[in-house]
Amino acid sequence: MVSVQEALSRVIPHDDAPLASPHPIQGPEPPARNPVESTNGFRPPGYDEMPGTSNASGFFAAALHNQNQNLNLNQPHIQQRFPTSQLLAQLTSSINLDPASSQNNNQNVVTFNIHFNQQLYQIRLPLEATVEQLKRKIFDETSVPVCRQAIRGWPPSKASDAQQLGTRICNLDLAPENELILVDLTDDGFMDTEQDEVTQRVDKNFTIFIQFESDTPLTLSMSGRTTVQEVKMNVCDIKSIPVRHQEWTGWPNGCDNDTTLAQSGIGLSHRFAVRSTERAAPTNSNQHNAFEVVTADSESSADEFEDATDFNNAEYIFTDLPPAQHLNRHLIPNNTDDETSGSTQFVENYKARYGEPCPEFFVGSLESAKQLACLRPAKERKLLAIYLHHGKSILINVFCDQLMKHESIIQTFKEKFVLYGWDMTYESNKDMFLSSLTACISSNASLTARNIKLDKLPAIMLVGKSRQLGSNCEVLSVIHGNIGLDDLLTRLIETCEMFEEQLQVEIRQEDERAARDQVKAEQDMAYQETLQADMAKDAAKRQKEAAQLAERKRIESERAEEDARRESIRLVAQQSLPQEPSEQETGTSKIRVRKPTGDFLERRFFTNNNLQDLLNFVTANGFLIEEYKLISSWPRRDLTAIESSQTLESLKLYPQETVILEER
């Protein structure tokens, strides 16, 4: 029977002399198994501790613990090194050597690595424990009160459940070992839930430090909206490591390719380690290839070419030898300045290389092509066809010299599409165009173009805009270069018919809107005419009233002037009257004047007073001689027509007389 110390010496490294048997039995080593297969780059829980011949374990552990967390290995809660032979006796009492019992215990225990203040705290709890018990353990280690603990790194689908203190750990879909981040909310105003912080972190920038096994480190700055898949694609573009060959260390548990950086639970500054699992394909040195070898970047070559049946069945393509490759395979020079100049060079080089006839390409920016095709009324709208060229593809010459020169293809592009071409041969031009796709079309369009493999190029992306697709343009179909003429024409026509069918509702709505607008325009015109007529009437009325007002003012002014003149004449006549004699005086005459109303005016005069004095008396009472005449009763005569200097005595108007006022 093997002793306890001898058993421990086989599994625990130490500084003393080894306790192993002098003749160890070496059995055949089992083949190494890739632990990240079918995980899309995510390492299974406890991968660093999994057995195997790969040296990635030590590399990732160092990258994660030494660079990302800057751990202080001298903390009392972290064992820094394994025990030596002097401690074996103390350990044997607490070690259970029963494999079945040990396995059952490990399955019922969850390990939490709590990252807080640049330190790591390891806590082990049974599966039946609650979140509240975990937080109390954290309080014992960090002294952060339970009410002020915000724990990040839970699986996104269970983040809300993890906020409930009574939730059991076994219900949170956790791995046997989990990386969690502790945030002290003392200075943060007691934030409510993790989801609130995710909302705040979405618009923040994350700085990602990536350590590679045999390459220079990489630093990326990305928005919180960036997904894990997009991070991997960036690493693929920069380091040329396909996503399926990327083995990551440092992501919290529960993350998948659709998880955003804000949801992942990492800090605004975080470190990762990436290892490439790609192996060089064996080559045959005795085989000489006359053509360039193109590696299909695909996870399953059989699946990738499952859709290539029609292309292989297009017998006419291979009846003749394919045209010889041109020396300069690109159509746009490297590092072109802008889209317009690149588009111009593309069209010129395409025509020079493949000759006439050829499709009519749009010359200008992608934004201008999109506006011409998509940003028009539904009846005039077309599909935007984006032709993606790559000089290193073996399909280029066949596709361009035969399919793209066919009359039906050229005519279809001319009538139904706005055709825009771009060369993806150089990475600089590819990156520029992908950025333009993101800005002009959508991020999905850019991702679609990026994911087209070299053995599928050239390709045609069909982009359209309709109300059913939403407010933005979307990719309706992608036609790869490994296709025959009939299938290419069929795909183009089917996509057009589908797009036109989607536009029918929008066209009908536009027609109804146009009819409503026409009726509204006619109503507005009639209203305007009526309004103009009413305004003309109002203007005429106001003009008439103004004229009447002016006439009244004129009349009133003349009347006032006339009244002033009459008053002036009356005052002069009144001031000219002689003094009236008294009744006792002799040589007087009493004159009575009957007014038109029948009333009488009466005054005494001296007989030697002249007729003018009588006329002044009448005038002083408001009866102007120019308006009235004074008639004597017997003999009847008009006294105003007689010389006014004659005396009353000479005119026989004494001792008394009655005269009559008549209007002239």
Side-chain angles (χ1 to χ4, degrees):
M1 179 180 295
V2 181
S3 65
V4 173
Q5 292 187 350
E6 183 177 357
L8 289 174
S9 65
R10 295 182 181 181
V11 297
I12 303 179
H14 49 81
D15 295 337
D16 296 340
L19 300 178
S21 173
H23 301 286
I25 300 176
Q26 296 183 355
E29 185 174 347
R33 177 179 177 270
N34 187 0
V36 293
E37 288 181 357
S38 304
T39 60
N40 201 14
F42 287 93
R43 300 169 60 253
Y47 173 76
D48 289 334
E49 294 75 19
M50 293 178 68
T53 58
S54 172
N55 61 354
S57 175
F59 166 72
F60 287 126
L64 178 64
H65 293 288
N66 296 336
Q67 296 183 13
N68 188 28
Q69 304 299 340
N70 295 324
L71 298 179
N72 182 2
L73 298 181
N74 293 324
Q75 294 297 323
H77 54 274
I78 299 179
Q79 183 91 16
Q80 185 172 208
R81 51 184 301 180
F82 293 103
T84 60
S85 58
Q86 288 80 1
L87 300 179
L88 290 178
Q90 300 177 10
L91 295 175
T92 54
S93 60
S94 60
I95 295 180
N96 186 359
L97 297 180
D98 184 3
S101 175
S102 176
Q103 184 177 1
N104 293 333
N105 291 337
N106 290 335
Q107 291 178 352
N108 295 327
V109 175
V110 180
T111 301
F112 296 94
N113 295 326
I114 309 298
H115 301 266
F116 178 65
N117 286 346
Q118 302 297 326
Q119 296 183 12
L120 180 65
Y121 302 87
Q122 191 175 77
I123 298 175
R124 295 168 59 87
L125 289 174
L127 283 174
E128 295 302 320
T130 62
V131 174
E132 181 179 9
Q133 292 173 336
L134 172 61
K135 290 193 173 185
R136 292 189 180 279
K137 286 288 186 180
I138 293 175
F139 171 72
D140 295 338
E141 297 288 345
T142 64
S143 300
V144 178
V146 173
C147 62
R148 298 181 182 180
Q149 295 178 17
I151 302 177
R152 308 293 176 250
W154 299 111
S157 60
K158 298 294 183 178
S160 59
D161 295 337
Q163 306 307 314
Q164 305 296 327
L165 295 179
T167 303
R168 295 186 180 275
I169 294 176
C170 59
N171 296 329
L172 296 179
D173 297 342
L174 298 175
E177 185 168 355
N178 304 272
E179 304 291 333
L180 299 179
I181 300 173
L182 174 62
V183 178
D184 187 354
L185 299 182
T186 303
D187 301 326
D188 293 342
F190 296 92
M191 292 182 295
D192 292 331
T193 65
E194 184 172 359
Q195 188 61 34
D196 295 335
E197 185 178 358
V198 170
T199 304
Q200 298 174 6
R201 285 156 49 96
V202 162
D203 297 323
K204 294 185 179 180
N205 288 330
F206 288 72
T207 302
I208 298 176
F209 304 95
I210 304 176
Q211 182 72 35
F212 296 89
E213 187 175 15
S214 58
D215 202 348
T216 57
L218 176 65
T219 302
L220 299 176
S221 179
M222 295 184 170
S223 168
R225 302 179 185 273
T226 306
T227 63
V228 174
Q229 178 69 19
E230 292 171 345
V231 175
K232 293 182 179 181
M233 293 302 301
N234 277 272
V235 173
C236 175
D237 294 339
I238 298 174
K239 295 296 185 179
S240 300
I241 304 176
V243 172
R244 66 181 182 278
H245 293 309
Q246 296 176 17
E247 183 178 299
W248 288 74
T249 301
W251 291 110
N253 294 318
C255 293
D256 56 24
N257 284 338
D258 296 328
T259 304
T260 63
L261 296 182
Q263 296 172 339
S264 66
I266 65 173
L268 297 180
S269 178
H270 197 78
R271 293 184 180 273
F272 293 98
V274 175
R275 173 178 173 267
S276 174
T277 61
E278 186 175 14
R279 295 293 181 266
T283 58
N284 187 356
S285 59
N286 297 327
Q287 182 180 3
H288 176 72
N289 295 330
F291 299 93
E292 178 183 1
V293 177
V294 179
T295 302
D297 186 11
S298 171
E299 295 187 10
S300 175
S301 59
D303 293 337
E304 280 293 310
F305 285 93
E306 184 179 352
D307 297 332
T309 305
D310 296 333
F311 172 75
N312 295 329
N313 291 338
E315 297 178 356
Y316 75 93
I317 294 180
F318 297 102
T319 54
D320 299 324
L321 290 177
Q325 286 277 13
H326 295 274
L327 182 60
N328 294 327
R329 298 177 176 179
H330 61 268
L331 298 181
I332 301 178
N334 193 14
N335 295 318
T336 186
D337 295 333
D338 53 67
E339 289 183 22
T340 302
S341 61
S343 175
T344 303
Q345 293 172 342
F346 175 88
V347 175
E348 293 175 353
N349 293 333
Y350 187 96
K351 292 181 178 180
R353 181 167 301 176
Y354 301 107
E356 297 289 347
C358 69
E360 182 179 349
F361 288 96
F362 177 86
V363 178
S365 64
L366 180 61
E367 176 65 27
S368 301
K370 184 191 77 169
Q371 292 179 358
L372 180 62
C374 304
L375 303 184
R376 305 183 69 178
K379 288 185 178 180
E380 304 174 7
R381 198 173 303 166
K382 293 183 178 181
L383 286 172
L384 174 62
I386 303 176
Y387 170 73
L388 302 178
H389 185 93
H390 201 295
K392 294 183 180 181
S393 173
I394 61 176
L395 305 176
I396 284 294
N397 290 329
V398 175
F399 193 85
C400 296
D401 280 329
Q402 297 187 23
L403 274 67
M404 295 292 280
K405 284 189 175 183
H406 199 276
E407 181 180 357
S408 59
I409 299 297
I410 295 176
Q411 191 66 22
T412 301
F413 277 130
K414 183 177 181 179
E415 294 178 356
K416 302 292 186 179
F417 297 87
V418 173
L419 183 60
Y420 188 85
W422 193 262
D423 185 7
M424 310 277 282
T425 305
Y426 289 116
E427 288 295 326
S428 60
N429 298 336
K430 177 181 178 180
D431 293 340
M432 175 192 296
F433 188 70
L434 292 178
S435 299
S436 181
L437 273 177
T438 302
C440 297
I441 308 299
S442 67
S443 59
N444 290 334
S446 177
L447 187 60
T448 300
R450 184 191 297 272
N451 290 336
I452 299 177
K453 304 299 186 293
L454 181 60
D455 58 353
K456 294 294 186 70
L457 291 173
I460 300 176
M461 294 175 55
L462 303 181
V463 178
K465 180 181 183 296
S466 67
R467 189 160 299 174
Q468 293 184 9
L469 298 175
S471 58
N472 298 324
C473 297
E474 294 294 341
V475 177
L476 301 181
S477 179
V478 178
I479 303 175
H480 296 139
N482 55 346
I483 194 171
L485 174 62
D486 294 338
D487 291 336
L488 174 59
L489 185 59
T490 301
R491 290 283 299 276
L492 293 175
I493 294 176
E494 286 179 351
T495 305
C496 287
E497 291 176 350
M498 178 189 67
F499 180 66
E500 290 173 356
E501 183 179 353
Q502 292 178 352
L503 288 181
Q504 289 305 314
V505 176
E506 196 168 347
I507 291 175
R508 184 171 64 253
Q509 292 176 349
E510 287 187 355
D511 291 341
E512 294 174 354
R513 188 184 307 112
R516 291 195 300 270
D517 293 342
Q518 180 65 25
V519 173
K520 185 176 182 298
E522 294 175 355
Q523 293 176 347
D524 291 342
M525 184 179 298
Y527 171 75
Q528 290 296 331
E529 292 176 354
T530 304
L531 182 62
Q532 292 294 334
D534 293 342
M535 292 176 62
K537 291 181 181 179
D538 292 342
K541 182 178 179 181
R542 288 194 299 270
Q543 185 177 3
K544 182 179 179 181
E545 291 176 352
Q548 292 176 351
L549 179 62
E551 180 66 18
R552 287 197 299 270
K553 288 183 178 180
R554 184 188 65 79
I555 294 174
E556 291 176 358
S557 176
E558 291 178 355
R559 183 179 301 161
E561 293 178 356
E562 179 65 18
D563 292 344
R565 185 183 67 81
R566 291 167 60 87
E567 181 65 16
S568 175
I569 293 174
R570 189 188 69 79
L571 291 176
V572 171
Q574 185 176 4
Q575 294 175 358
S576 301
L577 285 175
Q579 184 177 4
E580 181 179 7
S582 62
E583 294 180 0
Q584 292 79 15
E585 293 186 20
T586 60
T588 62
S589 175
K590 184 178 181 181
I591 305 297
R592 298 183 66 190
V593 180
R594 190 175 68 181
K595 297 186 295 184
T597 58
D599 298 334
F600 287 91
L601 296 175
E602 185 176 310
R603 192 179 190 283
R604 292 185 297 277
F605 293 91
F606 287 102
T607 57
N608 59 353
N609 291 137
N610 53 30
L611 179 61
Q612 184 62 44
D613 294 332
L614 177 59
L615 296 177
N616 288 340
F617 170 70
V618 174
T619 300
N621 285 277
F623 301 97
L624 302 183
I625 300 303
E626 60 188 23
E627 298 177 358
Y628 295 90
K629 54 186 178 179
L630 194 62
I631 306 300
S632 61
S633 58
W634 185 260
R636 181 177 177 80
R637 51 185 173 176
D638 185 3
L639 298 179
T640 57
I642 301 176
E643 180 65 30
S644 60
S645 60
Q646 297 182 41
T647 62
L648 298 179
E649 184 179 3
S650 63
L651 293 175
K652 308 297 185 183
L653 295 177
Y654 71 93
Q656 63 181 13
E657 184 67 30
T658 299
V659 295
I660 302 171
L661 276 175
E662 293 182 0
E663 294 183 2
R664 292 185 181 276

